[in-house]
Amino acid sequence: KAETLLEATSKANNANAVNVSVEAYAEVMNAVAGPQADNYQRPDELALAHKQASKRALMAFDEVANFGNRKGILDARNTVLAKIEKDYEVFISLNAGRNPLLGFETYILPTVIAAVSYFLRFIADFSCSSWSQTCRAGSEVLSHVYMVVFFFLLIVASTKAKQVSELFNRIKAAILVLSDGGDKKNIKRD
């Protein structure tokens, strides 16, 4: 379909405005949660950075997309908003990978089960008489439970040695986050 020079220029300007605004957004967000970022950002901090970066991107869009068909400008603006939301999901995913508490459930739940079993076995051994078969059987079951959990954790640790090393680094980072109130200067990833 034939277009006037003004329409073609307007479309090119809108496409340029989309690129400029998405680059402005990515520049801010890459510093906060991009591939080169080292620190985990809390979800509320990431949302705030997203809001500020979106505002900056839309200001950049408005500076460039300032002439032509109003519908074309609105369509381009909607394209920018869609790309920003899509990029934000990527930044959320990248940030989640840096969460120092990620994957703790694999270790915490079995450890809690083992600790409770050990404690209950101690109580059973301390409070039951030696002639009670029920107490002895219960004590043995609890002993088996915490030994199974211990060996489960040992197997997990041996098959995932690199991930366990990263887990200890995450524990260290989590302790730093909790003890320093999230002071980002003290958290360092290897």
Side-chain angles (χ1 to χ4, degrees), residues 119-140 142:
F119 179 72
L120 291 176
R121 180 175 186 229
F122 176 78
I123 290 175
D125 288 346
F126 184 71
S127 64
C128 292
S129 64
S130 62
W131 56 267
S132 174
Q133 289 292 10
T134 305
C135 280
R136 266 195 264 159
S139 177
E140 287 180 19
L142 292 169

Side-chain angles (χ1 to χ4, degrees), residues 51-97:
K51 189 175 181 179
Q52 291 171 344
S54 296
K55 190 175 185 180
R56 180 177 172 189
L58 291 176
M59 285 174 35
F61 178 84
D62 291 338
E63 287 176 6
V64 176
N66 53 14
F67 73 91
N69 183 350
R70 186 73 184 147
K71 184 184 178 316
I73 292 173
L74 288 176
D75 289 344
R77 187 180 185 90
N78 289 336
T79 301
V80 168
L81 292 172
K83 285 185 178 185
I84 285 174
E85 286 305 314
K86 190 175 180 182
D87 287 351
Y88 182 52
E89 294 299 320
V90 172
F91 288 118
I92 288 173
S93 177
L94 287 171
N95 190 53

Side-chain angles (χ1 to χ4, degrees), residues 21-42:
S21 59
V22 169
E23 286 176 15
Y25 176 79
E27 181 182 329
V28 172
M29 291 302 289
N30 276 332
V32 173
Q36 303 303 320
D38 289 335
N39 300 322
Y40 171 71
Q41 302 293 320
R42 292 188 191 113

Side-chain angles (χ1 to χ4, degrees), residues 110-174:
T111 302
V112 168
I113 291 171
V116 167
S117 296
Y118 183 80
F119 179 72
L120 291 176
R121 180 175 186 229
F122 176 78
I123 290 175
D125 288 346
F126 184 71
S127 64
C128 292
S129 64
S130 62
W131 56 267
S132 174
Q133 289 292 10
T134 305
C135 280
R136 266 195 264 159
S139 177
E140 287 180 19
V141 166
L142 292 169
S143 171
H144 290 298
V145 168
Y146 73 76
M147 290 309 289
V148 165
V149 170
F150 171 75
F151 285 114
F152 167 75
L153 290 173
L154 189 67
I155 290 169
V156 168
S158 66
T159 59
K160 299 182 176 190
K162 182 170 176 25
Q163 291 173 338
V164 169
S165 171
E166 290 175 6
L167 173 71
F168 285 120
N169 289 337
R170 287 176 189 233
I171 290 171
K172 181 180 168 184

